[in-house]
Amino acid sequence: MNRIQFITVALFTAIETYLFNEAIMLEQYLMALFWAFLILRNLQVSYVMGRIVDEIDKQMKQK
């Protein structure tokens, strides 16, 4: 993941978190569920990318 992709994912996650909090405060639970789904999807993508980078690092250190 290059720097621009990282910044984009971080920015969208921050915006989605803000909108999730706003939906909770306004008691719009359906929208809060939607924003929670998007946040969890971003976290899953970040986790998978981290695992891929770890595996690449392992392979590079073995050579």
Side-chain angles (χ1 to χ4, degrees), residues 3-48:
R3 182 176 291 158
I4 293 175
Q5 288 173 330
F6 173 77
I7 291 171
T8 304
V9 169
L11 183 65
F12 277 107
T13 303
I15 292 169
E16 290 165 2
T17 302
Y18 173 78
L19 293 172
F20 170 77
N21 289 331
E22 283 292 315
I24 290 290
M25 293 297 181
L26 295 174
E27 297 180 357
Q28 296 177 348
Y29 299 117
L30 185 60
M31 285 305 295
L33 185 64
F34 171 73
W35 293 117
F37 171 74
L38 292 179
I39 293 168
L40 291 174
R41 186 188 64 165
N42 286 347
L43 292 174
Q44 180 184 17
V45 167
S46 298
Y47 175 75
V48 169

Side-chain angles (χ1 to χ4, degrees), residues 53-63:
V53 169
D54 289 343
E55 289 299 320
I56 291 171
D57 285 342
K58 283 181 189 177
Q59 292 296 323
M60 295 295 283
K61 287 180 182 178
Q62 287 179 356
K63 290 184 179 181

